[in-house]
Amino acid sequence: MRVIDEAELRRVITPQVAVDVTRAAFRADGEGRAHVPAVINLDVPSHRGEFHVKTALIDGVPHVAVKIASGFYDNPAKGLPSGSGLMAVFDATTGMPVALLLDNGFLTDIRTGAAGAVAAEALAPAAIATVGVLGSGLQARYQVRCLRSVRTFSRVVAWGPNPAHLDAYLREMRDEGFDAHGAATPEAVCREADLLVTATPARAPLVRAEWLRGGQHVTALGADSPGKQELDAGCLAAADRVVVDRLTQCAAFGELRHALDAGLLRPDRVHAELGEIVAGLKPGRTNARQLTIADLTGVGFQDTAIASAAVAALA
Amino acid sequence: MRVIDEAELRRVITPQVAVDVTRAAFRADGEGRAHVPAVINLDVPSHRGEFHVKTALIDGVPHVAVKIASGFYDNPAKGLPSGSGLMAVFDATTGMPVALLLDNGFLTDIRTGAAGAVAAEALAPAAIATVGVLGSGLQARYQVRCLRSVRTFSRVVAWGPNPAHLDAYLREMRDEGFDAHGAATPEAVCREADLLVTATPARAPLVRAEWLRGGQHVTALGADSPGKQELDAGCLAAADRVVVDRLTQCAAFGELRHALDAGLLRPDRVHAELGEIVAGLKPGRTNARQLTIADLTGVGFQDTAIASAAVAALA
């Protein structure tokens, strides 16, 4: 069994590779070729910790990955990262272990960024000038890096709750060639953005419907477990197209959950799962005036797809 | 992250160690300290394969293990074992990966044997002369090896459907110091046994109630997934004490399932979960005339317990 570390994975899984692999995975899902069992969630309340285990089979992909991710929120006080984990990769035709990916979360980060790009490819206007970002963490970075594979843009406007983190983020984006500016409020970002990415752990809405407009695309990815919310429920009600990565997950704990709870959206108003659009079964954006929202929670088939690609590239 | 292979694990996890660790794990479960989320089952029908993922947290145990086991039933034709898998071990206080146990199923085998011993310790008569075994596979071996930690006996009588496998098993048991004999039928084993272990993948009952008697103990462990059954439902109805490792699992796919389906046992006739007896909350066997049956399906806390013990012993 091969043990592969983060540096090796970073060498082969570039944003472009991640976007291509993730697009293919969503297409497979849209075509009914992705099989995703319910995840395991194990709480460790005595240490403010949790484990999550995800896996999936994709017909036509030669591996099955089992991803084990942990979040322990007292870790930073101990000098440790709050998130950790690994992926175990198995041969999908024999069940034999093939590789252990000690990615320190890198593959999850980049496949999440890539899903944002796949959503933008399907839903964002063809021409965008400004990408707006709420948040200044890892996903603020990966979303922008991956978007480059599907849209041409140079301007990034970002807001984050921590000024030092926001400054560091803006410097890093400038180093990567973007014209990056900070904004004083989430509203200012929403007003400027042609494409808005919300990438925060917010547990109360940061974005109000009245700050959005026709012609924008919004990718919301912070709400990945119960209690998290970045968009007020009115945003989804106002959108011309609401697209989810997985209906069951988004209805349980994505942005969609809050809109359903508020009675502002009926489940049949959800336009599509993203895979249905990528597979050509439903249209994405059909005109320049639509407000589109993608609600992304992260699905196990993304992990199997990116892990299999990494193992294949390093074989 | 340390990678530990089967040979290292075999060196530190003896049957005696496994029984001690497993007894403590059942006690923890009885005391409400074991937290066991639902397992992941992922089928791969195109290759007659399946993956199962189990995990558990035990308050007071320093690690959490995630066990990934695969069964691919076309593998033997390819020269591969049908079963494979591994355990990933994490620090239960920080979520950080600690070790990868490439055990090839050894830890599952020995913890399953150890659970049989813990059940026998609680339920079998104090004095037993003959251990009867149905089956001649790995569990036929591990059950007998682990029973030695809790009862003194020298005679083993076994039946198995494959004469060559049975002969190999009997030779191996003799090499380990037992007075081991083959029997022509399951009935003959049942009639001779003071303690009966059923360890087959049977999908139809092998044991009839009328072959059992008061004063015997039966540990049934073959039924670990839907469709498997070793005891006719009348056995459980005839028993003075039916004990399960996990009520939810046994009612779903253990021997208990068949007795419930047949209407021969009401759920409130189940005497106890094994952990409740080990924790002293309920009695085990209380006299020499009782017929006792333990229905074991294998629970995630057994994996966390044995994996943590292995990692601690090799630290």
Side-chain angles (χ1 to χ4, degrees), chain A residues 274-290:
Chain A
L274 181 55
E276 297 177 287
I277 300 177
V278 179
L281 303 175
K282 291 190 179 172
R285 170 177 293 269
T286 50
N287 72 57
R289 297 174 311 282
Q290 288 164 328

Side-chain angles (χ1 to χ4, degrees), chain B:
Chain B
M1 185 165 194
R2 179 154 178 202
V3 178
I4 300 174
D5 69 15
E6 182 183 345
E8 287 181 277
L9 295 167
R10 284 183 179 272
R11 190 163 57 73
V12 295
I13 303 296
T14 62
Q16 180 67 57
V17 168
V19 171
D20 290 342
V21 164
T22 300
R23 183 190 298 116
F26 274 100
R27 181 180 304 122
D29 186 43
E31 294 170 349
R33 293 187 286 116
H35 312 282
V36 186
V39 307
I40 291 178
N41 295 310
L42 177 64
D43 287 329
V44 187
S46 56
H47 292 86
R48 290 209 303 146
E50 59 197 22
F51 290 94
H52 304 282
V53 186
K54 288 184 175 180
T55 185
L57 169 73
I58 305 175
D59 298 335
V61 168
H63 304 101
V64 166
V66 177
K67 179 170 82 173
I68 308 162
S70 66
F72 276 66
Y73 302 102
D74 291 339
N75 275 5
K78 303 172 188 172
L80 293 171
S82 59
S84 187
L86 53 82
M87 293 198 202
V89 182
F90 299 83
D91 185 306
T93 67
T94 66
M96 303 298 287
V98 171
L100 183 73
L101 311 186
L102 299 179
D103 72 324
N104 300 314
F106 164 68
L107 292 175
T108 299
D109 293 334
I110 198 162
R111 66 85 157 144
T112 302
V118 171
E121 188 171 41
L123 295 167
I128 58 175
T130 299
V131 170
V133 178
L134 300 185
S136 55
L138 282 169
Q139 277 308 307
R141 291 157 168 83
Y142 281 105
Q143 292 289 328
V144 170
R145 286 171 192 152
C146 290
L147 276 173
R148 261 193 161 157
S149 295
V150 301
R151 288 293 183 275
T152 302
F153 61 96
S154 59
R155 192 150 183 279
V156 172
V157 176
W159 170 89
N162 180 314
H165 292 177
L166 180 62
D167 280 349
Y169 171 61
L170 294 171
R171 274 197 307 276
E172 201 169 318
M173 289 296 99
R174 280 182 213 117
D175 289 346
E176 296 185 20
F178 295 102
D179 175 24
H181 302 270
T185 63
E187 179 179 358
V189 173
C190 295
R191 300 274 186 202
E192 283 204 58
D194 300 308
L195 190 163
L196 175 68
V197 172
T198 66
T200 73
R203 303 183 79 86
L206 288 173
V207 176
R208 291 199 201 150
E210 59 264 34
W211 302 340
L212 303 179
R213 65 177 186 276
Q216 273 181 322
H217 170 70
V218 179
T219 294
L221 53 95
D224 59 354
S225 62
K228 294 186 182 171
Q229 181 177 13
E230 299 183 283
L231 311 183
D232 78 31
C235 296
L236 276 72
D240 297 287
R241 294 234 188 288
V242 173
V243 172
V244 297
D245 57 0
R246 195 81 172 172
L247 189 56
T248 48
Q249 292 188 185
C250 292
F253 54 77
E255 295 296 337
L256 178 60
R257 167 63 182 272
H258 304 286
L260 295 173
D261 280 355
L264 289 174
L265 199 74
R266 294 205 334 244
D268 61 6
R269 274 284 320 279
V270 173
H271 172 65
E273 288 189 331
L274 182 55
E276 297 177 286
I277 299 177
V278 179
L281 303 174
K282 290 189 179 171
R285 169 178 294 268
T286 50
N287 71 57
R289 297 174 309 281
Q290 289 164 328
L291 170 62
T292 55
I293 297 181
D295 181 13
L296 303 183
T297 52
V299 191
F301 65 72
Q302 298 172 244
D303 301 311
T304 279
I306 201 86
S308 183
V311 169
L314 290 164

